[in-house]
Amino acid sequence: CLWRLASLVAFCFFLSGASVVYKSQGDGNGITVSGVGNLLTHMAKCCQPVPGDEILGFITQGRGISVHRVDCDQLANSLNQQPEREVEVQWGGSSNKSYQVSINIIGGDRQGLLRDISTIISNERVSIIGIESNTDNAKQSMSMTIKVEVANNEALMRLLAKLNQLDDVTEVKRL
Protein backbone atom coordinates (compact mmCIF):
# COMPACT_ATOMS: atom_id res chain seq x y z
CA CYS A 1 0.00 0.00 0.00
CA LEU A 2 2.83 2.38 0.92
CA TRP A 3 4.62 1.62 -2.39
CA ARG A 4 1.48 2.45 -4.40
CA LEU A 5 1.11 5.74 -2.54
CA ALA A 6 4.76 6.57 -3.23
CA SER A 7 4.33 5.68 -6.91
CA LEU A 8 1.20 7.84 -7.15
CA VAL A 9 2.95 10.82 -5.49
CA ALA A 10 5.95 10.42 -7.80
CA PHE A 11 3.67 10.17 -10.83
CA CYS A 12 1.81 13.36 -9.82
CA PHE A 13 5.13 15.09 -9.22
CA PHE A 14 6.23 14.08 -12.71
CA LEU A 15 2.98 15.35 -14.28
CA SER A 16 3.53 18.72 -12.62
CA GLY A 17 6.41 19.29 -15.04
CA ALA A 18 9.22 19.37 -12.50
CA SER A 19 12.66 19.23 -14.04
CA VAL A 20 14.68 17.95 -11.12
CA VAL A 21 16.88 14.99 -11.98
CA TYR A 22 17.53 12.33 -9.36
CA LYS A 23 19.48 9.12 -9.51
CA SER A 24 17.03 6.24 -9.26
CA GLN A 25 17.76 3.68 -6.59
CA GLY A 26 16.56 0.26 -5.67
CA ASP A 27 17.71 -2.20 -8.32
CA GLY A 28 21.17 -1.07 -9.44
CA ASN A 29 20.30 -0.62 -13.13
CA GLY A 30 22.16 2.69 -13.22
CA ILE A 31 19.23 4.56 -14.76
CA THR A 32 18.65 8.27 -14.18
CA VAL A 33 14.99 9.28 -14.20
CA SER A 34 14.01 12.88 -15.01
CA GLY A 35 11.45 14.40 -12.69
CA VAL A 36 11.19 11.69 -10.06
CA GLY A 37 13.59 10.25 -7.53
CA ASN A 38 14.01 6.96 -5.70
CA LEU A 39 11.85 4.98 -8.10
CA LEU A 40 12.42 1.36 -8.86
CA THR A 41 13.44 0.78 -12.46
CA HIS A 42 13.56 -2.48 -14.37
CA MET A 43 14.71 -3.42 -17.84
CA ALA A 44 11.84 -4.40 -20.13
CA LYS A 45 12.06 -8.02 -21.22
CA CYS A 46 10.40 -7.26 -24.57
CA CYS A 47 13.31 -5.24 -25.98
CA GLN A 48 16.14 -5.90 -23.47
CA PRO A 49 17.91 -2.52 -23.45
CA VAL A 50 21.65 -2.36 -22.77
CA PRO A 51 23.87 0.68 -22.07
CA GLY A 52 24.38 2.60 -25.27
CA ASP A 53 20.82 2.03 -26.54
CA GLU A 54 18.50 5.02 -26.73
CA ILE A 55 15.97 4.43 -23.95
CA LEU A 56 12.65 5.74 -22.67
CA GLY A 57 10.74 4.98 -19.49
CA PHE A 58 7.13 3.97 -18.95
CA ILE A 59 5.54 4.44 -15.52
CA THR A 60 3.93 1.13 -14.59
CA GLN A 61 1.28 0.47 -11.98
CA GLY A 62 3.07 -0.76 -8.89
CA ARG A 63 6.37 -1.78 -10.53
CA GLY A 64 8.13 1.56 -10.94
CA ILE A 65 9.63 2.58 -14.27
CA SER A 66 9.91 0.07 -17.08
CA VAL A 67 12.94 0.97 -19.24
CA HIS A 68 12.57 0.26 -22.99
CA ARG A 69 14.55 0.88 -26.16
CA VAL A 70 12.98 3.80 -28.05
CA ASP A 71 12.28 1.49 -31.02
CA CYS A 72 10.33 -1.04 -28.90
CA ASP A 73 6.94 -2.00 -30.36
CA GLN A 74 5.46 -2.78 -26.96
CA LEU A 75 6.48 0.66 -25.66
CA ALA A 76 4.90 2.31 -28.71
CA ASN A 77 1.63 0.44 -28.11
CA SER A 78 1.61 1.35 -24.41
CA LEU A 79 2.32 5.03 -25.13
CA ASN A 80 -0.44 5.14 -27.75
CA GLN A 81 -2.88 4.09 -25.05
CA GLN A 82 -1.38 6.10 -22.16
CA PRO A 83 1.03 8.81 -23.39
CA GLU A 84 1.04 10.55 -19.98
CA ARG A 85 3.04 7.61 -18.55
CA GLU A 86 6.13 8.41 -20.63
CA VAL A 87 9.15 9.51 -18.62
CA GLU A 88 12.60 10.52 -19.78
CA VAL A 89 15.37 8.21 -18.62
CA GLN A 90 19.10 8.08 -19.30
CA TRP A 91 21.89 5.67 -18.64
CA GLY A 92 23.78 6.62 -15.48
CA GLY A 93 27.50 6.35 -14.89
CA SER A 94 29.61 3.34 -15.71
CA SER A 95 28.48 0.06 -14.27
CA ASN A 96 29.95 -3.42 -13.97
CA LYS A 97 26.49 -4.90 -14.47
CA SER A 98 25.81 -7.20 -17.41
CA TYR A 99 22.56 -7.21 -19.38
CA GLN A 100 20.74 -10.12 -21.01
CA VAL A 101 20.02 -9.92 -24.72
CA SER A 102 18.58 -12.46 -27.14
CA ILE A 103 20.07 -12.79 -30.61
CA ASN A 104 18.82 -14.81 -33.57
CA ILE A 105 21.12 -16.54 -36.03
CA ILE A 106 19.92 -18.02 -39.33
CA GLY A 107 22.10 -19.98 -41.70
CA GLY A 108 22.96 -23.19 -43.42
CA ASP A 109 23.00 -26.29 -41.25
CA ARG A 110 26.48 -27.73 -41.09
CA GLN A 111 28.56 -29.77 -38.71
CA GLY A 112 30.61 -27.58 -36.36
CA LEU A 113 28.52 -24.41 -36.73
CA LEU A 114 27.45 -24.43 -33.05
CA ARG A 115 31.10 -24.86 -32.06
CA ASP A 116 32.13 -21.91 -34.26
CA ILE A 117 29.36 -19.72 -32.83
CA SER A 118 30.20 -20.60 -29.22
CA THR A 119 33.93 -20.02 -29.86
CA ILE A 120 33.24 -16.48 -31.11
CA ILE A 121 30.98 -15.77 -28.14
CA SER A 122 33.62 -17.10 -25.75
CA ASN A 123 36.43 -15.13 -27.41
CA GLU A 124 34.36 -11.95 -26.97
CA ARG A 125 34.12 -12.77 -23.23
CA VAL A 126 30.34 -12.92 -23.41
CA SER A 127 28.40 -15.41 -21.29
CA ILE A 128 25.79 -17.68 -22.83
CA ILE A 129 22.61 -17.92 -20.75
CA GLY A 130 20.60 -20.20 -23.02
CA ILE A 131 20.37 -21.62 -26.53
CA GLU A 132 17.42 -22.81 -28.60
CA SER A 133 18.19 -24.31 -31.98
CA ASN A 134 15.99 -25.66 -34.77
CA THR A 135 16.94 -27.26 -38.07
CA ASP A 136 15.08 -27.79 -41.31
CA ASN A 137 16.58 -30.88 -42.93
CA ALA A 138 14.71 -30.35 -46.19
CA LYS A 139 16.19 -26.86 -46.63
CA GLN A 140 19.46 -27.73 -44.86
CA SER A 141 19.06 -24.60 -42.74
CA MET A 142 19.04 -23.77 -39.07
CA SER A 143 17.69 -21.06 -36.79
CA MET A 144 19.21 -20.43 -33.40
CA THR A 145 18.21 -18.08 -30.60
CA ILE A 146 20.94 -17.43 -28.05
CA LYS A 147 20.48 -15.44 -24.85
CA VAL A 148 23.75 -13.79 -23.82
CA GLU A 149 24.96 -11.34 -21.19
CA VAL A 150 26.77 -8.24 -22.46
CA ALA A 151 28.14 -5.13 -20.76
CA ASN A 152 26.87 -2.62 -23.32
CA ASN A 153 25.68 -1.97 -26.85
CA GLU A 154 29.23 -1.73 -28.21
CA ALA A 155 30.05 -5.26 -27.02
CA LEU A 156 26.78 -6.53 -28.51
CA MET A 157 27.38 -4.87 -31.91
CA ARG A 158 30.93 -6.26 -32.02
CA LEU A 159 29.59 -9.77 -31.27
CA LEU A 160 26.86 -9.52 -33.92
CA ALA A 161 29.38 -8.37 -36.54
CA LYS A 162 31.74 -11.27 -35.82
CA LEU A 163 28.93 -13.84 -35.87
CA ASN A 164 27.74 -12.43 -39.19
CA GLN A 165 31.17 -13.14 -40.71
CA LEU A 166 30.87 -16.90 -40.15
CA ASP A 167 30.59 -19.16 -43.19
CA ASP A 168 27.03 -20.38 -43.75
CA VAL A 169 25.51 -17.67 -41.52
CA THR A 170 23.03 -15.61 -43.54
CA GLU A 171 21.50 -13.40 -40.83
CA VAL A 172 22.31 -12.29 -37.29
CA LYS A 173 19.99 -9.93 -35.46
CA ARG A 174 19.13 -8.74 -32.02
CA LEU A 175 15.65 -9.66 -30.87
Side-chain angles (χ1 to χ4, degrees), residues 3 6 10 16 21 24 58 94-95 108 110 132 164 170 173:
W3 170 246
S16 72
V21 176
S24 73
F58 183 79
S94 62
S95 169
R110 69 166 166 87
E132 181 182 324
N164 212 19
T170 56
K173 66 180 177 182

Tab-separated table of all heavy atoms in Angstrom, residues 3 6 10 16 21 24 58 94-95 108 110 132 164 170 173:
chain	number	residue	atom	x	y	z
A	3	TRP	N	3.933	1.497	-1.107
A	3	TRP	CA	4.620	1.621	-2.394
A	3	TRP	C	3.696	2.257	-3.435
A	3	TRP	O	4.094	3.091	-4.212
A	3	TRP	CB	5.109	0.259	-2.873
A	3	TRP	CG	5.599	0.300	-4.282
A	3	TRP	CD1	5.046	-0.312	-5.353
A	3	TRP	CD2	6.717	1.022	-4.799
A	3	TRP	NE1	5.736	-0.026	-6.500
A	3	TRP	CE2	6.778	0.805	-6.176
A	3	TRP	CE3	7.684	1.846	-4.246
A	3	TRP	CZ2	7.746	1.353	-6.991
A	3	TRP	CZ3	8.653	2.391	-5.065
A	3	TRP	CH2	8.675	2.136	-6.414
A	6	ALA	N	3.526	5.926	-2.782
A	6	ALA	CA	4.763	6.573	-3.225
A	6	ALA	C	4.801	6.687	-4.748
A	6	ALA	O	5.208	7.712	-5.295
A	6	ALA	CB	5.980	5.795	-2.722
A	10	ALA	N	4.889	10.182	-6.815
A	10	ALA	CA	5.953	10.417	-7.805
A	10	ALA	C	5.360	10.697	-9.180
A	10	ALA	O	5.833	11.569	-9.901
A	10	ALA	CB	6.886	9.206	-7.860
A	16	SER	N	3.499	17.280	-12.900
A	16	SER	CA	3.531	18.715	-12.621
A	16	SER	C	4.570	19.443	-13.466
A	16	SER	O	4.614	20.663	-13.482
A	16	SER	CB	3.811	18.962	-11.128
A	16	SER	OG	5.165	18.647	-10.832
A	21	VAL	N	16.390	16.290	-11.567
A	21	VAL	CA	16.876	14.986	-11.985
A	21	VAL	C	17.497	14.309	-10.771
A	21	VAL	O	18.361	14.866	-10.115
A	21	VAL	CB	17.933	15.107	-13.119
A	21	VAL	CG1	18.492	13.746	-13.477
A	21	VAL	CG2	17.331	15.784	-14.326
A	24	SER	N	17.967	7.231	-9.778
A	24	SER	CA	17.032	6.241	-9.256
A	24	SER	C	17.802	5.231	-8.415
A	24	SER	O	18.982	5.015	-8.617
A	24	SER	CB	16.297	5.546	-10.393
A	24	SER	OG	17.147	4.656	-11.054
A	58	PHE	N	8.590	4.037	-18.996
A	58	PHE	CA	7.127	3.965	-18.946
A	58	PHE	C	6.758	3.705	-17.497
A	58	PHE	O	7.228	2.729	-16.891
A	58	PHE	CB	6.601	2.848	-19.847
A	58	PHE	CG	5.103	2.771	-19.900
A	58	PHE	CD1	4.383	3.643	-20.700
A	58	PHE	CD2	4.417	1.841	-19.138
A	58	PHE	CE1	2.998	3.576	-20.758
A	58	PHE	CE2	3.031	1.768	-19.190
A	58	PHE	CZ	2.321	2.639	-19.995
A	94	SER	N	29.143	4.670	-15.322
A	94	SER	CA	29.614	3.345	-15.706
A	94	SER	C	29.194	2.317	-14.659
A	94	SER	O	29.100	2.604	-13.478
A	94	SER	CB	31.131	3.342	-15.870
A	94	SER	OG	31.743	3.649	-14.649
A	95	SER	N	28.958	1.127	-15.138
A	95	SER	CA	28.483	0.058	-14.274
A	95	SER	C	29.177	-1.235	-14.665
A	95	SER	O	29.523	-1.444	-15.814
A	95	SER	CB	26.966	-0.091	-14.435
A	95	SER	OG	26.516	-1.257	-13.820
A	108	GLY	N	22.935	-21.822	-42.921
A	108	GLY	CA	22.962	-23.188	-43.416
A	108	GLY	C	23.343	-24.141	-42.300
A	108	GLY	O	24.186	-23.825	-41.461
A	110	ARG	N	25.261	-26.973	-40.825
A	110	ARG	CA	26.481	-27.732	-41.093
A	110	ARG	C	27.110	-28.184	-39.792
A	110	ARG	O	26.898	-27.592	-38.736
A	110	ARG	CB	27.487	-26.896	-41.888
A	110	ARG	CG	28.092	-25.735	-41.105
A	110	ARG	CD	29.311	-25.169	-41.841
A	110	ARG	NE	29.712	-23.893	-41.307
A	110	ARG	CZ	30.537	-23.724	-40.277
A	110	ARG	NH1	31.025	-24.767	-39.641
A	110	ARG	NH2	30.873	-22.506	-39.869
A	132	GLU	N	18.490	-22.025	-27.989
A	132	GLU	CA	17.420	-22.812	-28.602
A	132	GLU	C	17.739	-22.903	-30.079
A	132	GLU	O	17.941	-21.890	-30.744
A	132	GLU	CB	16.067	-22.131	-28.390
A	132	GLU	CG	14.914	-22.907	-28.970
A	132	GLU	CD	13.594	-22.189	-28.802
A	132	GLU	OE1	13.394	-21.528	-27.772
A	132	GLU	OE2	12.769	-22.286	-29.735
A	164	ASN	N	28.208	-12.606	-37.817
A	164	ASN	CA	27.736	-12.431	-39.194
A	164	ASN	C	28.808	-12.800	-40.223
A	164	ASN	O	28.495	-13.061	-41.382
A	164	ASN	CB	27.262	-10.993	-39.401
A	164	ASN	CG	26.140	-10.896	-40.399
A	164	ASN	OD1	25.461	-11.865	-40.703
A	164	ASN	ND2	25.933	-9.702	-40.914
A	170	THR	N	23.632	-16.560	-42.606
A	170	THR	CA	23.028	-15.614	-43.537
A	170	THR	C	22.437	-14.389	-42.841
A	170	THR	O	22.286	-13.344	-43.469
A	170	THR	CB	21.914	-16.289	-44.364
A	170	THR	OG1	20.947	-16.855	-43.478
A	170	THR	CG2	22.487	-17.374	-45.251
A	173	LYS	N	20.695	-11.140	-35.907
A	173	LYS	CA	19.994	-9.926	-35.461
A	173	LYS	C	19.664	-10.022	-33.979
A	173	LYS	O	19.512	-11.099	-33.426
A	173	LYS	CB	18.735	-9.671	-36.279
A	173	LYS	CG	17.653	-10.708	-36.100
A	173	LYS	CD	16.433	-10.383	-36.942
A	173	LYS	CE	15.393	-11.492	-36.806
A	173	LYS	NZ	14.233	-11.244	-37.627
